Amino acid sequence: MKTGLTLFSLGLLIIASAAFSQGKGYSWLKEDNRIALWKNDQIIWQFNFDKSADKPYFHPLRTPSGLDITLERPADHPWHRGLWFSWKTINGVNYWEEDPKTGLSKGRSIIRDVKYHIGKASKPDADIKVRIDYADSSGVVLSEKRTLVIPAPENGQYMMTWQHEFTAVKDAVLYLEKPGKHGGVSWGGYAGLSYRGSDQLKDVSFFVSSTWTNTPDLTGYGEQEKWMGVKAVNHGNKVSIVVFDHPLNPRHPSPWYIWYAKDRNLFFTPSLLFDGPMELKKGQKLKLQYGVWIMDGWVNAVEVEKQYTRFVNPGKH
């Protein structure tokens, strides 16, 4: 049954691509559990929102030329979903790791509704709105309204913006394992907007707003940065991804968590809770904003700072 549906969808997609062939080669795939931007015969980005699986996420996520930059549900960490947002624990309940049999966490990140507006093939931008309830066995603890804005790829790059508004339905404590930097476990410190890099990425180099750079294996980090990026090579081609932490976010600039082992795993996240828990009283709101800049080629810190300024002050450019 699933195979038949997939083939049918692909057939529709081929027709759509042909209809848009006189534009820039872009077309849209729209199904009940995903939306994807295609260029010619390849996905550029796909947003997955299967309500039976929780936790909406982006994968595949590719550069405008079609080079992979994300990895979905690898064997070592099947709850890593390309590019996604997840809390670690809320009121002591785990919303991160998932039961291997059900694919669900003990704490549920329930997708209630997804609405989107997409542009024409000649200007394939997208505005996606998602409602999520975070629930444990006692009921909903936290609710979220999420807005994702993705302009059309241009000049070998595109920039996603993530806006989150969380409302505490009841008193909530957001936390994670205490990281090694603060006397906890060596691997502690991750949660929030997270990126798992494709296993096709080689010659990986981290770079951050404080001019620190790194290529060796590393677990932890925990330093405050306005932004963090990765430059890498995919089959001989240079690619980059940079994540921006908005200055209006609480605890800005965020500490960043890295888990990197050459040719084995590539993961990083702006970790809002790295330095300690956050408590929300019933009815209290928490707003977060992030940017994700994806491109063919490599960029330097000066170029990233310019893009960061555009991200913070979009109306002035």
Side-chain angles (χ1 to χ4, degrees):
M1 179 68 71
K2 290 183 178 179
T3 301
L5 287 171
T6 301
L7 291 174
F8 177 71
S9 300
L10 288 174
L12 291 177
L13 183 62
I14 290 169
I15 294 171
S17 295
F20 291 137
S21 62
Q22 293 181 352
K24 294 184 179 180
Y26 289 107
S27 59
W28 292 102
L29 171 65
K30 297 176 287 183
E31 295 185 340
D32 290 341
N33 60 2
R34 61 177 174 158
I35 177 175
L37 174 66
W38 285 65
K39 185 173 183 180
N40 299 324
D41 60 350
Q42 189 173 43
I43 294 173
I44 299 299
W45 60 258
Q46 178 169 293
F47 183 59
N48 305 283
F49 47 92
D50 186 344
K51 292 183 178 180
S52 69
D54 294 358
K55 302 179 189 175
Y57 65 98
F58 286 93
H59 179 85
L61 192 60
R62 297 188 172 110
T63 68
S65 71
L67 298 171
D68 285 300
I69 58 171
T70 54
L71 187 63
E72 178 188 36
R73 295 182 177 273
D76 57 26
H77 287 70
W79 43 86
H80 284 189
R81 302 180 178 212
L83 180 67
W84 81 105
F85 187 101
S86 181
W87 296 111
K88 184 64 190 285
T89 67
I90 305 175
N91 292 345
V93 177
N94 194 316
Y95 285 73
W96 185 272
E97 285 95 357
E98 299 163 0
D99 184 314
K101 293 182 179 179
T102 65
L104 298 173
S105 303
K106 187 174 182 181
R108 297 286 304 279
S109 304
I110 305 169
I111 304 169
R112 295 298 190 191
D113 187 49
V114 178
K115 296 180 180 178
Y116 55 82
H117 173 78
I118 56 176
K120 297 180 180 180
S122 59
K123 189 182 179 183
D125 50 1
D127 187 311
I128 305 170
K129 298 185 184 301
V130 188
R131 289 195 303 109
I132 301 172
D133 281 340
Y134 298 84
D136 58 22
S137 58
S138 69
V140 177
V141 179
L142 198 68
S143 64
E144 179 191 358
K145 295 179 181 178
R146 182 181 305 180
T147 300
L148 304 163
V149 178
I150 314 169
E154 188 176 8
N155 299 323
Q157 56 86 29
Y158 58 100
M159 175 83 173
M160 299 179 167
T161 58
W162 295 57
Q163 297 179 336
H164 309 256
E165 181 180 277
F166 300 93
T167 303
V169 177
K170 56 184 71 174
D171 290 355
V173 179
L174 311 174
Y175 197 41
L176 41 72
E177 288 88 355
K178 184 185 293 186
K181 182 178 178 180
H182 299 313
V185 294
S186 61
W187 41 265
Y190 54 87
L193 178 62
S194 301
Y195 165 71
R196 180 65 189 263
S198 169
D199 53 11
Q200 296 181 32
L201 299 181
K202 309 297 180 183
D203 300 326
V204 172
S205 175
F206 287 86
F207 60 108
V208 300
S209 57
S210 67
T211 72
W212 174 89
T213 58
N214 181 74
T215 55
D217 294 3
L218 174 66
T219 298
Y221 191 61
E223 300 303 313
Q224 294 179 318
E225 305 286 355
K226 295 187 298 182
W227 51 262
M228 175 176 284
V230 163
K231 295 185 286 190
V233 175
N234 184 327
H235 291 95
N237 300 286
K238 295 178 179 179
V239 300
S240 303
I241 178 171
V242 185
V243 178
F244 299 116
D245 178 45
H246 199 283
L248 293 180
N249 287 345
R251 302 181 179 179
H252 174 86
S254 179
W256 293 72
Y257 177 89
I258 296 171
W259 178 47
Y260 172 63
K262 184 177 180 180
D263 297 330
R264 294 201 306 278
N265 45 67
L266 169 58
F267 171 93
F268 72 91
T269 172
S271 185
L272 179 69
L273 308 175
F274 191 96
D275 291 336
M278 179 173 286
E279 297 185 15
L280 300 177
K281 296 298 182 181
K282 181 180 178 179
Q284 186 175 352
K285 294 185 183 296
L286 168 64
K287 295 183 180 181
L288 300 173
Q289 298 180 62
Y290 299 100
V292 182
W293 192 25
I294 296 157
M295 73 213 74
D296 290 293
W298 288 354
V299 291
N300 57 42
V302 173
E303 293 170 320
V304 178
E305 282 291 340
K306 289 180 180 179
Q307 184 69 20
Y308 182 77
T309 299
R310 288 190 285 268
F311 164 62
V312 173
N313 301 294
K316 296 183 179 181
H317 299 272

